[in-house]
Amino acid sequence: MDETVAEFFRRTILKIPMTEMMTILKAWNFLSENQLQTVNFRQRKESLVQDLVLLCQEKHASLNDAALLDIVYTQFHRHQKVWDVFQMSKGAGGDTDLFDMEQFKNSFKKILQRALKNVTVSFRDAEENAVWIRIAWGTQYRKPNQYKPAYVVYYSQTPYAFTSSSQLKSNLPLLAQALTIASKHHQIVKMDLRSRYLDSLKAIVFKQYNQTFETHNSTTPLQERSLGLDINMDSRIIHENKIEKERVQRVTQEIFGDYPQPRLEFAQYKLETKFKSDLNGGILADREEPLRCLVKFSSPHLLEALKSLAPAGIADAPLSPLLTCIPNKGMNYFKIRDK
């Protein structure tokens, strides 16, 4: 193991939190249980990292082994990256081909390496027939940068792939081509959907959010739920408030369901419209360019926040379809133009 690989190991292990060190190393499954038992995990982190790097050297660890450790770390900390979604499709009347994961991996790697001399590609199989792909990009004259990789998560026999946002935008067409050909599709498009929460993106595109997410309070009848009413209030007002609150709860449940929402951090709306006025003249009347406006809704958990607006009395029910259609349309980037 040369010094470059040793440094890659050192920096990868160094970023693993001490509380997760043993869990991640066991998931990596490169060092044996007996080897791990020889390490003092209570010592200073720098000393611990040195001991672990020495064990990797003794076992003749390769660059790919270090890349696999980095994949495991990223799987545990997937929310630290921003994920985009790509959707692929077959041609008209395209047949369903038998899928072979090893063939996919070989084809994907060959396409990248034929087009780009300096690139390293590593794979790690995951649950639900998914494969995690780590790509360290280089150029024709520079070796791959192992510290700024791109990640792809592909679910076999589906038209969806999830990619971490990469600084090297110029390599995106090549990545898209490799995905399309290796998975035996014909076209690929980037969806208007992005989030740090990979599991939520998966739930949205696979329409799983109303099936796999646990429900809460679903067995409690609507009439039994707390309406937050003042017991000293006039009985007629209480009756009207109760009817209205029940209506709001019913409408909200019909739109959002009674289950936790997929987690997105924002929704962005770009508006383009021509200026319209019944009055003649004016500065904007002769303007050919449309007026443009950008509105962005942000929240640590946007869909749950939107779901709570009407019951909290902050907004009328139902909310605008532009806000409630996000999971069904699989979008959180919208462009609104004149018809």
Side-chain angles (χ1 to χ4, degrees):
M1 186 167 73
D2 63 28
E3 186 58 35
T4 303
V5 177
E7 176 63 14
F8 183 21
F9 267 111
R10 193 188 75 82
R11 290 174 63 171
T12 302
I13 298 171
L14 200 57
K15 67 183 179 182
I16 302 173
M18 290 293 284
T19 55
E20 300 175 0
M21 187 70 72
M22 184 62 81
T23 303
I24 289 178
L25 290 175
K26 285 183 176 180
W28 181 35
N29 199 30
F30 179 76
L31 298 173
S32 68
E33 189 75 31
N34 290 336
Q35 287 176 312
L36 291 175
Q37 287 177 358
T38 65
V39 179
N40 177 13
F41 283 89
R42 295 183 179 181
Q43 61 184 314
R44 290 175 60 251
K45 193 170 187 179
E46 282 288 349
S47 301
L48 172 62
V49 170
Q50 285 182 344
D51 290 348
L52 290 171
V53 171
L54 282 174
L55 282 178
C56 293
Q57 287 178 324
E58 290 173 5
K59 203 170 179 181
H60 306 290
S62 65
L63 177 64
N64 188 63
D65 294 320
L68 289 175
L69 177 59
D70 193 43
I71 292 177
V72 175
Y73 169 82
T74 303
Q75 288 176 319
F76 276 80
H77 295 271
R78 59 189 72 183
H79 61 279
Q80 292 180 353
K81 298 189 177 296
V82 178
W83 298 91
D84 293 310
V85 186
F86 284 82
Q87 183 177 25
M88 295 171 284
S89 60
K90 297 183 182 290
D95 296 330
T96 302
D97 299 307
L98 293 175
F99 184 85
D100 182 275
M101 181 61 81
E102 292 306 314
Q103 186 179 5
F104 167 84
K105 293 176 183 177
N106 292 333
S107 176
F108 183 89
K109 191 172 184 176
K110 284 179 181 178
I111 292 167
L112 293 186
Q113 290 179 337
R114 284 173 184 168
L116 193 61
K117 177 183 177 182
N118 290 313
V119 61
T120 58
V121 185
S122 302
F123 303 92
R124 187 172 193 270
D125 295 332
E127 70 287 347
E128 300 182 88
N129 295 320
V131 59
W132 281 64
I133 310 170
R134 182 185 187 275
I135 307 161
W137 299 104
T139 66
Q140 298 297 345
Y141 309 104
R142 290 185 181 180
K143 290 184 177 181
N145 186 344
Q146 299 296 337
Y147 303 106
K148 292 184 179 179
Y151 285 90
V152 179
V153 183
Y154 173 63
Y155 288 83
S156 66
Q157 295 179 295
T158 77
Y160 296 104
F162 306 85
T163 69
S164 64
S165 298
S166 173
Q167 295 179 342
L168 297 173
K169 304 295 183 185
S170 59
N171 291 324
L172 194 56
L174 177 58
L175 175 59
Q177 180 186 21
L179 273 172
T180 308
I181 296 173
S183 62
K184 299 181 180 179
H185 287 86
H186 296 90
Q187 291 182 318
I188 186 169
V189 294
K190 183 179 177 182
M191 296 178 65
D192 294 319
L193 183 63
R194 170 183 283 194
S195 174
R196 290 187 179 275
Y197 298 96
L198 181 60
D199 292 340
S200 289
L201 293 176
K202 171 177 165 286
I204 288 173
V205 298
F206 292 153
K207 304 296 183 185
Q208 295 174 330
Y209 51 87
N210 60 345
Q211 299 169 10
T212 59
F213 282 33
E214 291 184 5
T215 60
H216 58 142
N217 293 337
S218 59
T219 58
T220 307
L222 190 62
Q223 291 81 1
E224 296 178 13
R225 298 180 189 173
S226 174
L227 299 175
L229 302 175
D230 185 348
I231 59 173
N232 296 317
M233 196 178 293
D234 186 293
S235 61
R236 291 169 296 178
I237 298 175
I238 291 176
H239 179 68
E240 289 182 6
N241 279 353
K242 184 178 180 181
I243 292 174
E244 174 59 16
K245 283 182 177 289
E246 288 182 348
R247 184 194 72 83
V248 170
Q249 290 280 10
R250 185 178 65 256
V251 170
T252 301
Q253 185 170 336
E254 287 173 355
I255 293 173
F256 290 97
D258 200 20
Y259 40 79
Q261 300 298 300
R263 191 164 185 175
L264 300 175
E265 311 94 278
F266 66 90
Q268 182 173 294
Y269 300 82
K270 286 185 178 181
L271 172 66
E272 292 186 6
T273 182
K274 291 280 189 178
F275 178 76
K276 300 179 181 68
S277 174
D278 295 332
L279 303 176
N280 294 325
I283 298 175
L284 298 176
D286 298 326
R287 178 186 171 97
E288 293 185 2
E289 281 289 308
L291 299 173
R292 294 182 175 87
C293 174
L294 187 146
V295 179
K296 187 174 183 179
F297 295 88
S298 299
S299 169
H301 202 327
L302 179 66
L303 294 179
E304 284 290 350
L306 292 175
K307 183 179 178 179
S308 68
L309 288 179
I314 299 173
D316 293 333
L319 297 179
S320 167
L322 287 172
L323 296 173
T324 60
C325 72
I326 293 171
N328 288 332
K329 284 189 174 292
M331 299 171 62
N332 60 347
Y333 283 87
F334 294 86
K335 291 181 180 179
I336 306 169
R337 294 187 176 94
D338 291 331
K339 292 182 179 179

